[in-house]
Amino acid sequence: MESFDKKPMFAAMKLRLQNSWMFVAFFIGFFLVWEYSVIFFDIPLYILTPPSLIVEKGAADLDRLLYYTYVTGTEVVLGYGVAVILALPLGLAIAFSSLLKRTIYPFIVCIEMVPKIAFAPLFISWLGFGLLPKVIIVFLVCFFPIVLNAILAFSSLSEELTLFCRSTGAGVWRTFFKVRLPAALPQCFVGFKYAAINATVGAAIAEFIGSDKGLGFYIQIVTGNMRPDLAFAGIFFLTLLGLSLFGIVTLAERLLIPWHISVRRT
Amino acid sequence: MSHHIEFAGLKKVFGTGPDAVQAFGPVDLSIAEGEFISLLGPSGCGKSTLMMMTSGLLEATEGTVTIGGSQVKGPQTDIGVMFQDNTLVPWRTVRGNVELQLEMRGKSLKEFSDKIDNLLASVHLEDFADRHPYELSGGMQQRAAFCQAMVHDPKTMLLDEPLGKLDAMTRERIRSDLQRLWMQERATVIFVTHSIEEAVQLSTKVAVITPRPGTIERIIEIDLPFPRDFDVKNSPEFAAYVREIQEIFRGYGVI
Ligand SMILES: Nc1ncnc2c1ncn2[C@@H]1O[C@H](COP(=O)(O)OP(=O)(O)OP(=O)(O)O)[C@@H](O)[C@H]1O
Ligand SMILES: [Mg+2]
């Protein structure tokens, strides 16, 4: 693939930072209002804590937070990874097989209607408090968006390009790697990104329902102990986890489809 | 000259039953080797349909297409097709898109490197070889698609409104380039256009097609010397051909 000039990208980033000072100011303002209204309205600390205290208490409990981030991160990465590995080939197969399109595809669409997270208590009762049920739940919330977008991606090559490929007499594989696959990538990434957002939500809820470690477990326990400061610290790390996954997927998108309109800048 | 492309009773109907649309034909036509024939006809008369059937990408409902003595039964890979909608892929540069045609055919890029340079230069895209299609205007994209369609040296070319999106001035220039290329290579060309003057300037023969379902109204042999430069185009003979064709279209009520 041809190289894209990276320099304008950095210039554009700088410009965006310059343009984003209002956002940054608003952000800081939000935390200041939070901080001082807790003090001003005399809100009890077991209901809401000011941001400064969240940082302080969170730092004191950093070891546990980091360990639990690692635990939840493992669930997220495994569930997401397995979902990508299984969903892509399945989506591909369904897109190219009229038999699968008439059998498995409607079935997947039906299951997609079911809120997958509702299965969480069942999986935990079947498989216990360990890693596996969480990975399965993360997998479930990631799998469907990836499969459905992959099916769409691989079945929507434009009429002209389909004819062009046929007119060259190229075989199935060559057509796939030179045209079909690159053409499908943008729509696949829609699924990857959607799934990346779902992944941490799935992991946290699964941990709420039954676990003895992880950020979801942590948030639930400290909230029960009237420690909203620590709950916020847990939420912070959960957010960080979600953003990292989303960031990695976005980075991959930028590297793999720099030509696509959703990625390129002008 | 031998009859290179032959249509015999060729007809296309889309759909079946009461919803069926008779898109084209029946048509009988022979095109000699090295001929440059233009198809001139109102929109929807089946010109693109004929191109598809000729290239073997669309099955005829009735009748046959024969190229070089063998009947067309599937995609013809030794011809060059320029589709009405452009077939550039967004992830490759202009050069990469031209190379795609070769790669799909398993041809060596090295061997064609000079050919690609020459082609791009002939349509004035040499400075844009490393740009992506989205950085090009519609007309530039069409010129790139033209290079893509003929880089593999096809002896038969089907060009479906290749100059459709170009502005009048560029169009004029590309026409002369196209004519020069054709005079060098003497490929057999079927060319679709909506411009009567373009058809008269470029072609050895102009086939005037009736409104849908398209059949051939008349075939007009254009007996003017090549290259048909400025002088030829301003000759009374040229004007007479244009007039003759205009009269036919006026008969249809389309102009
Ligand atoms: N896939 C299709 N299914 C049904 N009808 C079709 C299909 N493709 C073309 N037609 C019909 O066939 C007729 C001829 O279409 P075609 O595209 O060949 O016209 P054309 O002469 O190339 O027109 P234009 O100059 O506008 O490109 C049209 O009336 C169109 O409605
Ligand atoms: Mg057409």
Side-chain angles (χ1 to χ4, degrees), chain A residues 1-2 4 160-161 163-170 174-175 178-179 182-183 259 264, chain B residues 52 57 75-77 83 85 87 89-91 93 100-101 103-106 132 134 148:
Chain A
M1 203 151 290
E2 302 81 12
F4 274 71
E160 307 88 76
L161 278 179
L163 289 172
F164 168 76
C165 292
R166 285 180 58 207
S167 78
T168 62
R174 192 176 276 165
T175 304
K178 295 222 180 271
V179 179
W259 48 270
R264 68 183 193 234
Chain B
M52 293 298 173
L57 296 170
Q76 299 294 296
T77 56
F83 296 93
D85 296 297
T87 50
V89 296
W91 58 89
T93 59
L100 181 63
Q101 178 80 261
E103 289 173 31
M104 293 292 277
R105 290 161 189 275
H132 285 75
Y134 63 83
Q148 186 192 53

Side-chain angles (χ1 to χ4, degrees), chain A residues 67-220:
Chain A
Y67 173 60
Y68 286 164
T69 305
Y70 164 75
V71 169
T72 308
T74 309
E75 297 161 7
V76 165
V77 169
L78 286 178
Y80 186 82
V82 175
V84 172
I85 291 170
L86 293 186
L88 261 193
L90 183 65
L92 188 64
I94 292 175
F96 288 112
S97 151
S98 59
L99 179 68
L100 295 184
K101 216 166 205 166
R102 272 175 286 157
T103 52
I104 297 185
Y105 182 49
F107 181 68
I108 286 181
V109 173
C110 288
I111 301 216
E112 166 63 10
M113 304 294 160
V114 181
K116 262 74 60 189
I117 208 74
F119 288 110
L122 275 179
F123 277 110
I124 285 162
S125 84
W126 290 334
L127 300 168
F129 274 30
L131 178 66
L132 187 62
K134 277 89 182 181
V135 172
I136 291 178
I137 290 156
V138 173
F139 167 80
L140 282 179
V141 296
C142 296
F143 180 76
F144 292 90
I146 301 178
V147 153
L148 292 174
N149 279 289
I151 295 170
L152 182 63
F154 287 111
S155 25
S156 44
L157 188 67
S158 73
E159 175 84 18
E160 307 88 76
L161 278 179
T162 312
L163 289 172
F164 168 76
C165 292
R166 285 180 58 207
S167 78
T168 62
V172 177
W173 290 108
R174 192 176 276 165
T175 304
F176 180 75
F177 284 109
K178 295 222 180 271
V179 179
R180 286 189 183 275
L181 181 62
L185 280 180
Q187 187 67 43
C188 287
F189 267 102
V190 173
F192 294 157
K193 283 172 144 178
Y194 195 88
I197 295 168
N198 279 0
T200 37
V201 180
I205 295 181
E207 288 176 353
F208 287 164
I209 290 166
S211 62
D212 49 13
K213 48 184 181 297
L215 288 171
F217 164 77
Y218 181 85
I219 292 166
Q220 205 179 29

Side-chain angles (χ1 to χ4, degrees), chain B residues 22-149:
Chain B
Q22 184 169 353
F24 184 78
V27 155
D28 294 284
L29 178 67
S30 300
I31 299 167
E33 208 167 327
E35 194 114 65
F36 191 118
I37 184 162
S38 287
L39 305 179
L40 204 51
S43 178
C45 71
K47 303 180 295 293
S48 299
T49 305
L50 175 62
M51 295 298 223
M52 293 298 173
M53 290 190 289
T54 312
S55 53
L57 296 170
L58 183 71
E59 216 178 320
T61 312
E62 272 172 38
T64 55
V65 179
T66 314
I67 299 181
S70 57
Q71 193 181 329
V72 171
K73 289 205 170 111
Q76 299 294 296
T77 56
D78 50 356
I79 64 181
V81 188
M82 182 170 170
F83 296 93
Q84 191 163 6
D85 296 297
N86 95 43
T87 50
L88 303 177
V89 296
W91 58 89
R92 283 177 175 239
T93 59
V94 166
R95 196 185 176 86
N97 265 288
V98 177
E99 288 173 348
L100 181 63
Q101 178 80 261
L102 300 169
E103 289 173 31
M104 293 292 277
R105 290 161 189 275
K107 301 207 172 187
S108 126
L109 294 184
K110 243 191 228 146
E111 213 173 288
F112 282 85
S113 178
D114 291 341
K115 165 97 188 185
I116 297 174
D117 290 334
N118 292 341
L119 258 179
L120 289 176
S122 76
V123 297
H124 315 281
L125 277 181
E126 62 273 37
D127 294 339
F128 289 86
D130 297 323
R131 299 297 178 122
H132 285 75
Y134 63 83
E135 297 172 279
L136 270 55
S137 72
M140 290 159 89
Q141 290 182 17
Q142 214 165 26
R143 283 181 267 157
F146 176 73
C147 297
Q148 186 192 53

